Amino acid sequence: MSHDALTPKQSRFVEEYLLDLNGSAAYKRAGYKATGNAAEVQAHRLLRNPKVEEVIQQRMGERSERTQLTVDDVVLQLAHMGFSDIRQLFTPRWALEGDPRPG
């Protein structure tokens, strides 16, 4: 399904949602007006709209194909960064005052 099947605001919502997967923020950035928790409620409704849902899934699939990355790849890299020892990036303090290691 193409963006043509969506209204302009729905298309904008899809684009914004794909940036950070934050429905309520995407709802507001797409130009919808909401107060209180209405943005979350309305974003949830939009995300459950079959046309919107189909375009989001299609675009996410295209992005995965284009980047050749899977969610597992991203989680693995985040785990490597989160559990790494930053001290290994620097020379020992007693050797060269803790300068970054070359290459």
Side-chain angles (χ1 to χ4, degrees):
M1 178 174 293
S2 70
H3 278 274
D4 298 339
L6 303 178
T7 67
K9 273 193 176 177
Q10 287 173 331
S11 290
R12 179 68 181 182
F13 173 79
V14 168
E15 295 300 323
E16 294 295 337
Y17 180 76
L18 290 170
L19 293 176
D20 57 11
L21 306 181
N22 182 325
S24 59
Y27 185 82
K28 293 173 189 173
R29 291 191 309 253
Y32 290 101
K33 302 293 179 222
T35 58
N37 72 337
E40 290 126 18
V41 172
Q42 295 304 322
H44 180 72
R45 284 190 181 151
L46 267 176
L47 289 168
R48 297 196 38 93
N49 175 312
K51 292 178 185 178
V52 171
E53 189 175 13
E54 185 177 337
V55 172
I56 288 172
Q57 291 304 315
Q58 176 186 353
R59 295 288 309 280
M60 290 176 89
E62 290 168 358
R63 179 170 52 198
S64 290
E65 201 172 297
R66 192 172 55 252
T67 61
Q68 294 294 304
L69 287 175
T70 66
V71 172
D72 288 343
D73 294 331
V74 173
V75 170
L76 184 61
Q77 287 303 315
L78 289 173
H80 283 304
M81 289 188 300
F83 296 113
S84 66
D85 183 357
I86 195 166
R87 294 173 296 180
Q88 293 179 356
L89 299 175
F90 298 91
T91 59
R93 193 152 201 66
W94 51 266
L96 294 171
E97 294 300 316
D99 291 328
R101 290 186 191 266

